[in-house]
């Protein structure tokens, strides 16, 4: 049987039962290695710029299997380490004579070991360490010492490739370390590979060490975890962080690749050590340095500091370090049984007793254990022999010699978590909006790891991590958002669900409270993230959460709607900067329409025909169109005029994405009132609050009529203009809440938030690094598919119709539509103030009418066929036809679009068919107003608009007997004398 005996400095290959084939192979390998090694030793005596032996040795190492190279590890290492030592020695400025340092004109002498040879040595050493496993602690210490000297070289002393090669060799050495066979050894705490390792980060073949397992007393991983190796581990942590920082400081000359290698090697070192006891002492320095990297990287877009790959490695690295040191299961003694969820008096008394024992001084022969607190507040335990030195000042860790170890007590965990929270809060929220998808993906993986492993030790950071997760749920990348949604759904179904729900409730309250300040006073990206977080919190918490925290208390509901009224109000128009207002102002000035208005005012009905949707009676000028049926497919209608859409005044506040987030919140609130039998009746409560503004407006208009006050005087009164704008905002909010109950809104939310199905294999595939983590193996129900839908219980539909009926009653009140929208209005002429009137009043009224008209279309989408059967269609149809002749372009356009919506949802191919089917209701209203032309001078235009939409006029002629009789009477001499201004409009009706 083949045996391999290892010792330092030489090798022995022996085996009494080995066959001749194995002996011949070993002899062949040794003969070839001997040739290369002798040539390498010759380079030390006769330096050359290039050496073919290095390239040949590298090819031989790459093609040879590990089992063939392992017996000759020491033999091959010897010349490589000598050359590496010589390369480092000739490059170090410390070996330059002091006289030469003072002479600036001395030319730089060529290195004894050229850059080409030095880099070749590092390539060979890296490949050897990949293939072979070190056999003893002393051997590892020697190799680490040589690599440490190389890592200490600065950018001015060694080339970039040399410094990168040293770091790659160190990573190969760490990767080659394997746990021993002793099951009681501390090496079993090692993680092997970084917990958050992504696929493709590490492309190194695993070493086959089945025949070369370390002896129990020579476990190299256990040595790394021991107190004796703490200084070496800490030194390499510092060297790797310093190497990465050096490249960032070099600006565009810095190497992003070297920076990535440094971070990846650090992650590998942390994973191999894997012990909280061994790494806890270095946590403050490592985390603060990583935080500095992340803080600087968010402002850099180029160079090594702005490298996307390096930033991804840094995010994962800081998370892995925290997961090792502050993981919950490794700090049970300092968590007061939080994980168990119970606080018995017995446990508390035992814990307090153990804490008292820890505070007692312990003295032994030749040693003393002292518990002290350093200047940073960390409790440090030092077990060291007595030395004869004087200590100055108070006792601290800087004045003590001994092991680099901290006792992770409750006080240490609390203080450390506080500092970590400060560092994370300054970096993680900003990274959520990083333009690189890979960085956001790395942040998501880091949040997943921290919330899964350190949710109790980092309880102060848990709220911030959940908020960042909510932002990533709405990420533009499908990959990132799907993974974030799957993990958030998992959290709400995990065993830690109670803590998550408490945190979410606190986040919800804080987001609601700060929403107006953020929307009106912050940057667009900050406001968007804030609104998206609130939207995600509400959706994943479920409708019952909304009922419990908002709807059960009328005061809370009113306060919530007041917050949104403030965010969506027209007063927020003036919250932005002057530059923003100038950039987003309408292009049209004076009487000239903008290009967008001119384009949108044209309805293309065929390839060569077009009709202008200005005053409908002008359509009669095109006699060739009156027999054409104008069809409006649903796809074109939705593309031209989306419902619901952003109110006109919000364009000065934020973007379309910000409004969609705010509107989504209102839609979820509306849907929560109809999602369960437990929320029955809350819809009327939530809609009555904004309807109060309409009722107050109607009351004020009636009081104006009663007191015969002029419109100008009424508008100038304190609060009248504000009341108009409040009514517009209320109509916008009512439309969004009602639309949330529609099937279309439910489908939109499903597409937005159900990208990831909660399945064990999908969650296991969130990242390659999680594939072996049992924490993510779970089964959870698909709760969101069932709870966010309209409840079809008895009485639910009728309750919805009643609520919409109450809203329609206020929308269609004559007082609302008596408000003037133009200076030539008959209402203003009657008051004698047509020439001197505030344009702000006309604008406020036009916006109010526009959002009301949009709301009618939204109610129709929500109710479907019930909109007509409930009588709402008949009530609204004449109003829409009447406003088709409104001088305001936006109102005309809204009426035209809503009429097409009504036709489509009612099953009619054209608006003409819709009007024809309901002509009796429309004509009845026309006849009633024709009897009082003095009060309704616009009726001829309404009649003309109706006939132009119908197209085929002969189908409606039997119903037009009474109105046409009135028209003919008005065209007689007596009629023209009484109403001379109406002669031309009546003639246009006859021409249609």
């Amino acid at each position: 049987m083949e045996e391999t005996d290892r010792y330092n400095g030489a090798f022995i290959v022996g085996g009494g039962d080995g066959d001749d084939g194995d002996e011949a192979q070993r002899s062949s390998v040794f003969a070839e290695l001997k040739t290369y090694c002798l040539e390498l030793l010759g380079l030390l005596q006769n330096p050359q710029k290039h050496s073919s032996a290095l390239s040949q040795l590298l090819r031989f190492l790459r093609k040879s299997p590990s089992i063939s190279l392992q017996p000759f590890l020491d033999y091959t290492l010897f010349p490589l380490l000598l050359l590496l030592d010589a390369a480092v020695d000739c490059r170090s400025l410390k070996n330059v004579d002091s006289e030469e340092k003072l002479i600036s004109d001395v030319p730089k002498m060529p290195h004894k070991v050229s850059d080409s040879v030095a880099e070749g040595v590092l390539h060979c050493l890296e490949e050897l360490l990949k293939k072979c496993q070190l056999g003893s602690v002393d051997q590892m210490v020697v190799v680490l010492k040589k690599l440490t000297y190389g890592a200490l070289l600065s950018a001015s002393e060694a080339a970039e490739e040399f410094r990168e090669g040293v770091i790659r060799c160190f990573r190969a050495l760490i990767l080659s370390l394997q746990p021993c066979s002793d099951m009681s050894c501390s090496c079993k705490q090692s993680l092997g590979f970084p917990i958050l390792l992504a696929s493709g980060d590490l492309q190194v073949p695993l070493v086959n060490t089945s025949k070369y397992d370390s002896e129990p007393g020579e476990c190299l991983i256990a040595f790394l975890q021991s107190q004796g190796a703490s200084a070496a581990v800490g030194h390499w942590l510092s060297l790797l962080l310093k190497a990465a920082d050096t490249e960032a400081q070099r600006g565009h000359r810095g190497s992003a690749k070297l920076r990535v290698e440094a971070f990846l090697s650090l992650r590998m070192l942390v994973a191999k050590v894997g012990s909280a006891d061994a790494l806890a002492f270095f946590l403050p320095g490592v985390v603060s340095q990583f935080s500095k990297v992340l803080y600087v990287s968010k402002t850099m877009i180029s160079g090594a500091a702005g490298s996307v790959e390096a930033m991804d490695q840094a995010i994962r690295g800081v998370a892995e370090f925290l997961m090792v040191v502050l993981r919950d299961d490794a700090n049970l003694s300092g968590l007061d049984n939080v994980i168990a969820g119970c606080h018995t008096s017995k446990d508390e008394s035992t814990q307090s007793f153990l804490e008292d024992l820890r505070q007692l001084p312990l003295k032994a022969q030749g040693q003393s254990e002292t518990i002290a607190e350093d200047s940073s507040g960390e409790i440090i335990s030092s077990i060291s022999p007595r030395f004869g030195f004087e200590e100055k000042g108070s006792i601290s860790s800087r004045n003590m010699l001994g092991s680099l170890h901290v006792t992770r007590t409750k006080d240490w965990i609390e203080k450390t978590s506080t500092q970590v929270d400060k560092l994370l809060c300054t970096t993680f929220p900003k990274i959520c909006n990083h333009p690189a998808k890979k960085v956001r993906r790395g942040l998501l993986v880091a949040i997943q790891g921290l919330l899964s492993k350190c949710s109790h030790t980092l309880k102060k950071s848990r709220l911030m991590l959940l908020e960042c997760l909510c932002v990533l749920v709405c990420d533009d990348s499908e990959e990132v958002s799907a993974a974030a949604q799957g993990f958030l759904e998992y959290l709400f179904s995990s065993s830690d669900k109670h803590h998550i729900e408490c945190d979410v409730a606190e986040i919800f309250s804080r987001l609601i409270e700060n929403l107006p300040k953020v929307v009106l006073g912050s940057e667009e990206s900050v406001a968007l993230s804030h609104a998206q977080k609130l939207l995600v919190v509400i959706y994943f918490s479920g409708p019952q959460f909304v009922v419990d925290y908002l709807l059960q208390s009328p005061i809370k509901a009113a306060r919530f709607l007041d917050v949104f009224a403030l965010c969506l109000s027209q007063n927020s128009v003036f919250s932005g900067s002057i530059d923003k207002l100038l950039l987003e102002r309408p292009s049209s000035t004076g009487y000239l329409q903008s290009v967008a208005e001119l384009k949108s005012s044209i309805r293309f009905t065929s390839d060569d025909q077009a009709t202008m949707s200005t005053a409908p009676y002008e359509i009669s000028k095109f006699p060739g169109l009156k027999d054409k049926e104008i069809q409006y497919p649903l796809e074109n209608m939705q593309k031209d005029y989306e419902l619901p859409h952003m109110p006109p005044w919000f364009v000065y506040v934020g973007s379309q994405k910000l409004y969609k987030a705010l509107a989504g919140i209102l839609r979820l609130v509306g849907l929560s009132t109809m999602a369960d039998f437990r929320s029955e009746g809350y819809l009327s409560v939530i809609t009555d609050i904004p309807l109060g503004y309409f009722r107050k407006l109607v009351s004020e208009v009636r009081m104006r009529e009663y007191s015969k006050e002029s419109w100008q005087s009424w508008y100038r009164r304190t609060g009248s203009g504000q009341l108009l704008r409040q009514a517009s905002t209320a109509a916008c909010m009512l439309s969004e809440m009602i639309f949330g109950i529609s099937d279309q809104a439910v489908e939109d939310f499903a597409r937005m938030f159900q990208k990831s199905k909660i399945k064990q294999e999908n969650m296991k595939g969130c990242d390659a690094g999680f594939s072996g983590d049992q924490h993510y193996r779970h089964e959870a129900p698909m709760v969101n598919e069932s709870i966010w839908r309209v409840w079809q219980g008895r009485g639910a539909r009728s309750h919805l119709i009643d609520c919409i009926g109450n809203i329609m009653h206020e929308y269609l009140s004559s007082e609302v539509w008596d408000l003037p929208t133009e200076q030539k209005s008959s209402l203003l002429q009657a008051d004698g103030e047509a020439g001197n009137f505030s344009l702000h009043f006309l604008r406020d009224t036009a916006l109010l009418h526009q959002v009301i008209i949009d709301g009618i279309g939204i109610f129709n989408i929500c109710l479907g066929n019930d909109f007509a059967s409930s009588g709402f269609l008949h009530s609204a149809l004449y109003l829409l036809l009447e406003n088709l002749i409104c001088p305001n372009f936006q109102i005309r356009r809204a009426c035209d679009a809503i009429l097409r919506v009504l036709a489509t949802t009612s099953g009619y191919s054209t608006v003409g068919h819709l009007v024809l089917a309901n002509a009796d209701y429309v004509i009845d209203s026309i006849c009633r107003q024709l009897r009082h032309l003095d009060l309704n001078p616009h009726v001829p235009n309404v009649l003309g608009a109706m006939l132009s939409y119908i197209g085929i006029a002969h189908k409606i002629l039997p119903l037009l007997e009474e109105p046409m009789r009135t028209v003919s009477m008005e065209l007689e001499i007596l009629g023209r004398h009484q109403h001379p201004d109406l002669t031309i409009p009546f003639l246009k009706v006859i021409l249609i």
Side-chain angles (χ1 to χ4, degrees):
M1 184 176 182
E2 181 180 320
E3 295 180 357
T4 302
D5 297 328
R6 297 189 187 89
Y7 59 91
N8 296 318
F11 68 92
I12 296 177
V13 179
D17 300 329
D19 54 19
D20 296 336
D22 292 340
E23 291 291 341
Q25 182 180 7
R26 283 194 292 271
S27 300
S28 174
V29 170
F30 174 69
E32 191 163 356
L33 283 175
K34 181 180 179 180
T35 303
Y36 299 142
C37 291
L38 290 177
E39 292 186 25
L40 295 182
L41 290 174
L43 287 176
L44 291 172
Q45 303 298 327
N46 302 305
Q48 299 178 7
K49 291 186 177 180
H50 303 282
S51 174
S52 59
L54 285 170
S55 57
Q56 294 173 2
L57 175 60
L58 180 60
R59 285 195 297 269
F60 178 75
L61 293 176
R62 286 175 176 173
K63 71 179 182 180
S64 301
S66 302
I67 193 173
S68 300
L69 297 175
Q70 183 67 42
F72 311 104
L73 172 63
D74 297 309
Y75 187 83
T76 313
L77 272 177
F78 181 68
L80 292 176
L81 293 180
L82 287 178
L83 281 171
L84 176 61
D85 197 22
V88 172
D89 187 65
C90 68
R91 284 165 172 78
S92 177
L93 296 178
K94 297 178 182 179
N95 296 326
V96 180
D97 294 336
S98 58
E99 297 180 358
E100 293 181 359
K101 292 181 181 180
L102 299 176
I103 303 176
S104 59
D105 297 334
V106 175
K108 188 175 181 180
M109 301 299 294
H111 296 307
K112 181 179 179 181
V113 180
S114 65
D115 289 341
S116 176
V117 173
E119 292 166 16
V121 169
L122 289 173
H123 286 311
C124 294
L125 182 59
E126 178 188 0
E127 192 65 29
L128 184 64
L129 293 175
K130 287 179 182 179
K131 294 291 185 69
C132 302
Q133 181 184 7
L134 299 178
S136 66
V137 170
D138 293 337
Q139 192 178 45
M140 183 178 71
V141 169
V142 171
V143 177
L144 280 177
K145 184 178 179 180
K146 301 299 182 183
L147 293 177
T148 302
Y149 291 149
L152 286 172
L153 295 178
S154 64
S156 61
E157 295 173 322
E160 171 187 314
E161 292 78 11
F162 181 86
R163 291 179 288 116
E164 180 184 342
V166 171
I167 294 176
R168 292 179 65 89
C169 288
F170 173 77
R171 180 157 61 89
L173 184 151
I174 296 298
L175 267 173
S176 66
L177 303 180
Q178 300 296 323
C180 64
S181 58
D182 186 3
M183 299 306 297
S184 61
C185 181
S186 62
C187 67
K188 300 303 180 290
Q189 297 180 13
S190 174
L191 303 175
F193 292 94
I195 310 173
L196 309 181
L197 187 66
S199 57
D201 277 353
L202 199 63
Q203 299 177 353
V204 179
L206 296 178
V207 181
N208 183 9
T209 58
S210 58
K211 295 185 179 182
Y212 307 105
D213 290 336
S214 300
E215 296 298 328
E218 294 288 331
C219 182
L220 304 185
I221 295 181
F223 170 74
L224 274 182
Q225 297 170 339
S226 65
Q227 294 296 322
S230 294
V233 171
H235 192 199
W236 267 102
L237 291 174
S238 176
L239 287 175
L240 294 172
L241 290 172
K242 181 62 177 178
D245 185 59
T246 299
E247 298 307 312
Q249 292 177 358
R250 296 179 66 200
H252 289 281
R253 295 179 303 162
S255 171
K257 186 178 179 182
L258 193 153
R259 189 170 165 89
V260 171
E261 288 293 335
F263 287 144
L264 188 57
S265 300
L266 186 146
R267 294 175 59 196
M268 184 56 61
L269 175 61
V270 171
K272 283 297 182 181
V273 176
S275 170
D277 292 329
L279 296 174
F281 181 84
F282 309 109
L283 185 142
V286 172
V287 174
S288 62
Q289 187 64 27
F290 269 126
S291 299
K292 176 185 175 183
V293 170
L294 299 179
Y295 186 81
V296 173
S297 298
K298 65 184 182 181
T299 59
M300 302 294 293
I301 59 175
S302 61
S307 169
V308 171
E309 181 67 28
M311 194 171 182
D312 177 51
Q313 294 291 335
I315 293 171
R316 294 172 186 257
V318 67
E320 289 167 349
F321 199 94
L322 293 174
M323 291 169 66
V324 171
V325 178
L326 295 180
R327 66 179 186 269
D328 294 335
D329 54 357
N331 297 278
L332 291 174
S333 60
L335 293 178
D336 288 341
N337 295 321
V338 174
I339 299 178
C342 58
H343 301 273
T344 61
S345 59
K346 180 179 178 181
D347 293 336
E348 291 179 354
S349 61
T350 305
Q351 182 68 22
S352 61
F353 179 70
L354 291 175
E355 291 295 336
D356 293 338
L357 287 178
R358 292 190 180 101
Q359 301 300 325
L360 295 177
L362 176 64
K363 294 183 180 180
Q365 183 178 2
Q367 290 184 347
S368 67
E369 178 175 328
T370 308
I371 304 295
E373 186 171 322
D374 67 357
S375 59
S376 64
E378 296 178 353
I379 297 178
I380 299 180
S381 171
S382 176
I383 304 177
S384 61
R386 293 186 177 272
F387 290 90
F389 67 97
E390 291 184 353
E391 298 180 353
K392 298 181 180 181
S394 59
I395 298 176
S396 67
S397 61
R398 296 182 179 89
N399 298 327
M400 295 186 300
L401 299 177
S403 60
L404 307 179
H405 177 75
V406 294
T407 302
R408 302 189 310 281
T409 62
K410 176 184 176 182
D411 187 38
W412 182 87
I413 292 176
E414 182 177 353
K415 293 179 180 179
T416 302
S417 62
T418 301
Q419 296 300 321
V420 169
D421 177 61
K422 292 179 181 179
L423 295 175
L424 295 182
C425 287
T426 59
T427 53
F428 274 25
K430 300 292 184 181
I431 303 175
C432 292
N433 298 316
H434 196 277
K437 183 184 77 172
K438 188 167 188 177
V439 173
R440 301 195 305 273
R441 175 64 173 163
L443 177 63
L444 171 61
V445 174
I447 292 173
Q448 288 175 334
L450 293 176
L451 286 177
S452 302
K453 296 296 186 181
C454 313
S455 61
H456 296 286
T457 52
L458 291 179
K459 59 182 179 181
K460 295 182 180 180
S461 304
R462 197 162 54 194
L463 296 180
M464 180 272 298
L465 295 174
L466 286 174
E467 289 187 18
C468 292
L469 181 61
C470 290
V471 175
L472 295 175
V473 166
C474 298
D475 194 85
D476 294 334
S477 170
E478 189 82 12
E479 178 187 358
V480 175
S481 62
Q485 290 170 18
F487 183 71
L488 188 57
E489 289 174 340
Y490 158 70
L491 290 178
F492 276 98
S493 61
S494 63
S495 58
D496 212 18
K497 178 181 178 180
H498 174 70
H499 295 287
I500 297 298
E501 290 176 347
C502 294
D503 292 338
V504 165
E506 185 176 348
I507 293 174
F508 176 77
S509 301
R510 187 170 63 187
L511 292 176
I512 290 293
E513 182 180 356
N514 296 330
L515 184 63
K517 181 174 64 175
V518 173
V519 171
L520 304 181
S522 300
E523 297 179 359
E524 172 74 15
S525 59
V526 178
L528 178 61
S529 297
H530 194 93
Q532 287 177 340
K533 285 186 284 188
L534 185 55
L535 176 64
V536 172
V537 165
I538 292 178
Y539 183 85
F540 284 91
S541 299
Q544 191 58 39
F545 175 85
V546 179
V547 172
D548 294 339
Y549 284 89
L550 286 182
L551 304 183
Q552 283 188 350
S553 171
I555 298 178
K556 290 184 178 180
R559 188 181 304 162
F560 171 80
L561 293 180
D562 286 343
V563 166
F564 270 82
L566 183 59
C567 295
L568 300 176
S569 67
Q570 297 181 48
N571 293 333
S572 60
V573 169
F574 308 102
S575 63
S577 62
I578 296 298
D579 295 337
K580 183 177 180 181
L581 294 176
L582 292 176
L583 289 174
E584 296 180 348
R585 64 183 303 180
S587 60
S588 59
T589 57
Y591 62 89
L592 294 177
Q593 288 183 323
S594 64
V595 176
E597 290 175 345
L598 292 174
K599 287 182 178 180
S600 61
S601 63
I602 299 178
R603 298 197 314 271
F604 290 96
T605 57
S606 63
D607 295 336
D608 55 351
Q609 300 282 0
T611 58
M612 295 294 297
S613 64
T614 55
Y617 56 79
E618 296 182 3
I619 300 178
S620 60
K621 296 180 181 179
F622 304 92
L625 294 178
K626 66 180 182 180
D627 292 333
K628 283 183 174 289
E629 292 189 356
I630 306 173
Q631 297 187 0
Y632 307 104
L634 181 60
E635 296 80 7
N636 296 338
M637 180 269 297
Q638 292 177 343
K639 193 177 299 183
D640 294 340
Y641 200 86
E642 181 184 3
L643 283 177
H645 59 83
M646 185 172 66
W649 62 84
F650 197 80
V651 67
Y652 302 104
V653 182
S655 63
Q656 180 76 19
K657 292 181 67 175
L658 176 59
Y659 177 77
K660 283 187 175 182
L662 296 173
I665 298 170
L666 290 174
R667 294 172 192 178
L668 285 179
V669 172
L671 181 56
S672 64
T673 62
M674 299 290 293
D676 200 327
F677 69 93
R678 292 171 293 182
S679 58
E680 185 177 2
Y682 285 117
L683 181 60
S684 60
V685 175
I686 203 73
T687 54
D688 273 344
I689 297 173
L691 276 181
Y693 295 112
F694 273 90
R695 297 188 179 107
K696 186 176 180 181
L697 176 62
V698 170
S699 175
E700 288 290 328
V701 173
R702 288 176 181 173
M703 290 297 295
R704 187 206 68 86
E705 294 176 355
Y706 178 78
S707 61
K708 297 182 180 180
E709 186 180 9
S710 65
W711 284 111
Q712 183 76 347
S713 174
W714 177 82
Y715 184 75
R716 287 178 176 176
R717 274 195 301 152
T718 305
S720 297
Q722 179 70 12
L723 187 58
L724 272 176
R725 292 186 287 271
Q726 288 175 344
S728 302
T729 305
C732 177
M733 295 169 59
L734 286 169
S735 299
E736 295 295 350
M737 288 190 291
I738 295 299
F739 181 75
I741 307 175
S742 64
D743 294 336
Q744 181 180 339
V746 175
E747 293 173 359
D748 291 343
F749 284 126
R751 284 193 298 268
M752 185 185 303
F753 292 120
Q754 292 181 9
K755 299 175 183 177
S756 174
K757 306 299 181 182
I758 302 184
K759 296 180 180 179
Q760 180 178 350
E761 55 270 19
N762 288 352
M763 284 303 303
K764 182 176 63 176
C766 280
D767 193 83
F770 287 106
S771 57
D773 194 346
Q774 297 295 326
H775 179 84
Y776 293 93
R777 300 180 181 272
H778 64 277
E779 295 289 342
M782 287 299 297
V783 293
N784 289 322
E785 286 189 352
S786 59
I787 60 177
W788 283 111
R789 60 175 55 183
V790 180
W791 182 53
Q792 302 296 336
R794 192 176 72 176
R797 191 68 174 179
S798 61
H799 178 64
L800 174 61
I801 294 174
D802 291 341
C803 291
I804 293 180
N806 293 334
I807 301 174
M808 289 289 292
H809 175 74
E810 303 297 338
Y811 278 9
L812 301 179
S813 60
S814 59
E815 289 80 4
V816 173
W817 295 98
D818 284 344
L819 294 168
T821 58
E822 62 168 337
Q823 287 188 343
K824 296 181 180 181
S825 173
S826 59
L827 297 172
L828 296 180
Q829 291 176 355
D831 292 336
E833 52 183 350
N836 182 22
F837 196 74
S838 173
L839 297 180
H840 295 292
F841 184 18
L842 302 180
R843 179 182 178 275
D844 292 340
T845 303
L847 291 176
L848 174 61
H849 289 175
Q850 184 181 345
V851 293
I852 289 178
I853 292 170
D854 290 341
I856 294 174
I858 292 171
F859 299 159
N860 176 69
I861 293 175
C862 182
L863 291 181
N865 295 330
D866 291 338
F867 187 81
S869 61
S870 301
F872 302 142
L873 176 61
H874 304 147
S875 302
L877 187 56
Y878 181 77
L879 176 69
L880 295 174
L881 291 172
E882 187 178 22
N883 281 276
L884 278 173
I885 50 91
C886 178
N888 186 278
F889 164 77
Q890 298 297 339
I891 295 179
R892 293 198 310 269
R893 180 171 179 261
C895 288
D896 180 72
I898 298 307
L899 282 170
R900 285 183 280 161
V901 171
L902 295 177
T904 303
T905 55
S906 300
Y908 298 102
S909 58
T910 65
V911 176
H913 289 89
L914 172 67
V915 176
L916 187 62
N918 299 275
D920 49 347
Y921 297 98
V922 178
I923 293 176
D924 181 64
S925 299
I926 292 177
C927 292
R928 186 165 57 251
Q929 293 192 0
L930 282 172
R931 300 188 189 102
H932 307 282
L933 285 175
D934 294 332
L935 299 177
N936 304 287
H938 60 280
V939 178
N941 293 334
V942 177
L943 181 59
M946 183 190 71
L947 294 177
S948 65
Y949 259 119
I950 292 176
I952 306 176
H954 63 84
K955 291 184 179 181
I956 201 175
L957 285 178
L959 301 175
L960 294 176
E961 181 180 357
E962 182 178 352
M964 295 308 296
R965 186 185 301 115
T966 304
V967 171
S968 62
M969 291 176 61
E970 290 297 327
L971 291 176
E972 294 179 358
I973 297 176
L974 182 60
R976 295 199 306 270
H977 178 73
Q978 291 178 347
H979 307 104
D981 296 336
L982 301 180
T983 301
I984 294 179
F986 276 127
L987 287 174
K988 290 181 177 180
V989 172
I990 297 297
L991 292 176
I992 294 179

